[in-house]
Amino acid sequence: MRQIVTVLLFSALGLPASGQSTALGQSVDDADPRALPPGGLDFLNWESPHVHPMDMTPDGQFLLVVNTPDNRLEVFGLSSGGPVWEASIPVGLDPVSVRARSNREAWVVNHVSDSVSVVDLAGERVRATLATEDEPADVVFAGQGRRAFVSCSQANRLLAFDPEDLGAPPERIDIRGEDPRALAVSPDGKQVYVAIFESGNSSTILGGGIEMGVLNTLAYPPNVVGEEAGPWGGANPPPNSGAGFHPPMSAGLPSPPAVGLIVKQDDQGRWMDDNGGDWTAFVSGDQAAMSGRREGWSLADHDLAIYDTRDGSVRYVRRLMNLCMALSVNPVSGRLYLVGTEALNEVRFEPVLNGRFLRVQLAVVSADPERTSVVTDL
């Protein structure tokens, strides 16, 4: 949808849409976004999420800040001890990340334009625009030759550009996770870390609200919560506090409707509900077909992808949290720090949650991802 609207918007301006007239990754001269029709344009709020909106040049002389609503890169001088505005450079639509490649060059990721603006800081202009796949989110420089890696959040992919040959098509690296955004690089520059925003938390729904064949409807997922072979003998809704309910049901109410049930995989691989009921046999075991699955079924739950620039391999760190947001690396120890949220979606009934629908968490991942990660509730 965003791509279609973006093309229409550029067409209204008489400008080529990013990626419309060139092959993916091909360098093109940037059209001047300041060349607006008389009266300008009304502000369009895309609500694009910031990922890395500020950066400093390596010499510490300039602070670079994306001006998302005005589609510009703001440059502040730092030589006087505090930030002093020096330049405003037009880039693409909704810049969300900026990284300084050198003291003279910065790369700006434009979330709605599906592009990266390569900015000449000394000349205060965009010298090249690189078309990307859908909704790019961040950029880092790593590996031999310091290639530029761009996360494309809707395509679930990394693109690797050669900064010395901007006309060359990028290498495409598939990420097995939904919505990769924030990026970071190991201290030795050999590994690229990718935070997968919508990574999930190993929870899934079991059908239970509609019986097969009712109203000529084929329910899916099938009604397994009401099966007598289940941990609660077919009781639906299942109890959430021992053999009963908390809070207790008020006397005189009619029988509650049958419902589906969210279960979550624990560290032993068992699929458990919020009352300790074990549904493993119906999710991944020998009775998985009863819930519409197959034996051995599971969820990836990839929170962090690690791309090795030397051999092109990708491995994953799991079971950290639900939504993976900010990502940083300790330049000395190499440990990764990931901040995000963990949903409590398997817990039933609002009074039980008492307003705690999610938790904000910090995960500390060793430089050796095979070692145990430590997750702290913030």
Side-chain angles (χ1 to χ4, degrees), residues 17-80:
S18 177
Q20 185 179 24
S21 59
T22 62
L24 179 63
Q26 182 176 346
S27 174
V28 298
D29 292 333
D30 229 20
D32 189 349
R34 293 170 292 188
L36 300 178
L41 289 174
D42 292 334
F43 171 61
L44 298 175
N45 182 12
W46 303 104
E47 298 185 353
S48 295
H50 280 165
V51 178
H52 193 267
M54 296 189 293
D55 201 18
M56 279 199 306
T57 53
D59 59 9
Q61 294 299 301
F62 294 98
L63 173 66
L64 311 175
V65 182
V66 295
N67 184 341
T68 304
D70 206 27
N71 309 315
R72 294 172 183 269
L73 175 67
E74 308 292 347
V75 181
F76 296 84
L78 300 176
S79 58
S80 64

Side-chain angles (χ1 to χ4, degrees), residues 114-276:
D114 294 343
S115 68
V116 173
S117 299
V118 181
V119 178
D120 175 3
L121 295 173
E124 299 181 3
R125 69 182 185 89
V126 173
R127 73 176 184 88
T129 297
L130 304 178
T132 70
E133 296 188 16
D134 198 15
E135 294 192 7
D138 202 3
V139 59
V140 293
F141 305 96
Q144 187 175 9
R146 300 285 289 178
R147 289 191 296 167
F149 292 85
V150 178
S151 58
C152 296
S153 60
Q154 290 303 297
N156 298 333
R157 189 168 287 157
L158 276 181
L159 301 182
F161 293 91
D162 182 356
E164 303 302 326
D165 186 6
L166 297 180
E171 177 188 356
R172 294 171 173 83
I173 302 149
D174 290 329
I175 300 298
R176 292 184 59 200
E178 184 64 34
D179 210 350
R181 292 188 186 177
L183 302 176
V185 179
S186 61
D188 60 10
K190 296 177 181 178
Q191 294 178 322
V192 177
Y193 304 119
V194 186
I196 300 173
F197 181 67
E198 297 177 359
S199 68
N201 64 348
S202 294
S203 62
T204 188
I205 184 81
L206 299 179
I210 303 177
E211 296 285 352
M212 294 287 240
V214 173
L215 299 178
N216 296 318
T217 299
L218 181 62
Y220 195 90
N223 181 2
V224 71
V225 178
E227 287 290 333
E228 292 185 1
W232 305 112
N236 193 339
N240 75 322
S241 180
F245 292 89
H246 175 68
M249 294 186 182
S250 299
L253 290 178
S255 298
V259 297
L261 182 67
I262 294 177
V263 294
K264 187 172 181 177
Q265 192 176 36
D266 65 13
D267 291 336
Q268 287 73 48
R270 301 174 302 172
W271 295 93
M272 310 294 290
D273 64 29
D274 61 348
N275 193 22

